[in-house]
Amino acid sequence: MRNPYDVLGVPKGASEAEVKKAFRRAAKQHHPDRNRDDPRAPERFAELNTAYEILGDTGKRGQFDRGEIGPDGKPKGFEGFSGTGGHSADDLFRHFRNMGGGRPAGQQAGGFDPSDVFGRMFGDTAERARNPGAQRARAQPGADASVTMSVTLEEIAAGEPKRVRLPTGKDLEVAIPKAVADGMTVRLRGQGYSSPTGGESGDTMLTIRLLPHERFTVEGRDLRVRIPVPLADAVLGGAVMVPTLGGSAEIGIQPMTSSGRTFRLKGKGLPGKEQPGDLYAVLEIALPTMPDPELTALMQKRKG
């Protein structure tokens, strides 16, 4: 897993706004829907999500900078007796035995008994056999995980579940909440890391990110879109097609409609808990791209 700063292409001192801007730019460029011919696109997109999950969260970013978590977002914890410290289980036992002065168990200085330590660390087999319920009660739950799921406005409007790859390697279909908002976090219970001691699995915290749209601007549950209108239609009136998340809708404009006129399409925004938002279509008069002698002469006549 690459360094998240390298993945997003930002320096370590980048501001929150710079990180967010870099993520949105990269997500738009590498989204699998726009790179269907590239088999590595989903992998790169997942890497972007993981990087932003860390750098886009102040707490996680601090943990990464301090070396508490890795570039995959997992905690850098205990790695075993024979890890980087170079100590084996035998070394550790000798260390505990020496602390007790080499006396038999139960007679160590200060009442220290290495068997008690190892009983707590590794569990007492006899006790587990006698009382399995107590052992389960003492079992520690698995660690929680975190993952980011990016969704498009069209996916939100469709309301269909979306498949996401969890940090544990499991693929899971997740229902998109009706009142979803950028940055919303959903707890997926029991979908975290397994317990090493036989306890319950941890949870996965799923952060939902709304991908930027090339046409629509999100304003809470409402959407806003700009609609170019030919000059002739603005002067004479006519019908204008407005794109929506589910297709398109037709609106009629009166003659001599000015640029900036806003039309409200009720219920054409994003889904909500009780009712959907609205879509606001802002008209912008579009002048001809090529010179029009008749229009030029008319404007000169009116100006003169």
Side-chain angles (χ1 to χ4, degrees):
M1 195 77 181
R2 291 193 297 157
N3 187 302
Y5 289 103
D6 295 336
V7 174
L8 294 182
V10 296
K12 192 171 184 180
S15 65
E16 183 178 345
E18 290 171 333
V19 170
K20 187 173 184 179
K21 182 178 180 181
F23 168 72
R24 289 189 172 184
R25 181 174 61 247
K28 187 174 182 180
Q29 177 183 355
H30 297 291
H31 195 280
D33 290 345
R34 298 189 176 185
N35 299 271
R36 297 182 185 275
D37 296 332
D38 186 355
R40 296 192 59 191
E43 180 182 346
R44 283 197 297 267
F45 191 69
E47 187 179 44
L48 281 173
N49 282 331
T50 302
Y52 186 60
E53 177 190 338
I54 295 174
L55 301 187
D57 185 295
T58 304
K60 292 181 181 179
R61 183 175 180 178
Q63 289 180 309
F64 176 77
D65 290 342
R66 292 190 298 270
E68 297 172 3
I69 61 175
D72 55 358
K74 299 179 183 179
K76 292 183 176 179
F78 183 67
E79 298 180 354
F81 295 129
S82 59
T84 56
H87 299 293
S88 67
D90 290 339
D91 294 335
L92 185 61
F93 181 79
R94 282 194 294 270
H95 173 69
F96 284 142
R97 185 178 58 190
N98 291 336
M99 289 176 61
R103 299 179 180 86
Q107 300 180 13
Q108 284 78 4
F112 178 81
D113 186 351
S115 64
D116 292 338
V117 176
F118 284 93
R120 288 193 296 269
M121 292 178 64
F122 301 110
D124 187 350
T125 304
E127 176 62 21
R128 286 200 303 270
R130 289 194 301 269
N131 192 355
Q135 176 63 23
R136 285 195 298 270
R138 290 197 301 269
Q140 296 297 317
D144 289 342
S146 57
V147 67
T148 298
M149 180 177 73
S150 298
V151 297
T152 65
L153 299 185
E154 286 81 3
E155 288 173 333
I156 296 174
E160 298 178 356
K162 181 168 182 177
R163 183 173 294 273
V164 62
R165 172 64 62 90
L166 303 181
T168 58
K170 178 181 178 181
D171 287 335
L172 185 69
E173 283 197 344
V174 179
I176 301 175
K178 285 188 176 181
V180 65
D182 186 50
M184 174 184 286
T185 300
V186 178
R187 180 183 293 273
L188 305 178
R189 296 193 178 277
Q191 298 298 333
Y193 296 105
S194 301
S195 169
T197 57
E200 296 181 353
S201 296
D203 302 332
T204 287
M205 305 304 296
L206 175 72
T207 301
I208 302 177
R209 295 293 181 184
L210 273 59
L211 289 173
H213 200 280
E214 58 185 358
R215 301 202 67 172
F216 299 106
T217 301
V218 180
E219 299 176 352
R221 307 254 57 79
D222 298 330
L223 299 175
R224 188 173 294 271
V225 61
R226 297 185 177 277
I227 306 298
V229 179
L231 179 60
D233 290 340
V235 173
L236 303 175
V240 176
M241 299 303 296
V242 177
T244 69
L245 291 177
S248 61
E250 182 180 276
I251 61 174
I253 60 174
Q254 297 296 321
M256 304 305 294
T257 296
S258 300
S259 184
R261 176 77 182 275
T262 301
F263 291 80
R264 176 190 177 194
L265 282 71
K266 189 174 182 180
K268 296 297 184 180
L270 294 175
K273 288 184 178 180
E274 298 180 358
Q275 59 184 14
D278 302 326
L279 172 63
Y280 292 89
V282 183
L283 303 187
E284 295 182 337
I285 296 177
L287 295 175
T289 56
M290 300 296 291
D292 188 330
E294 293 183 4
L295 178 61
T296 301
L298 177 62
M299 294 298 102
Q300 288 175 343
K301 181 179 180 180
R302 292 181 60 86
K303 186 176 181 180

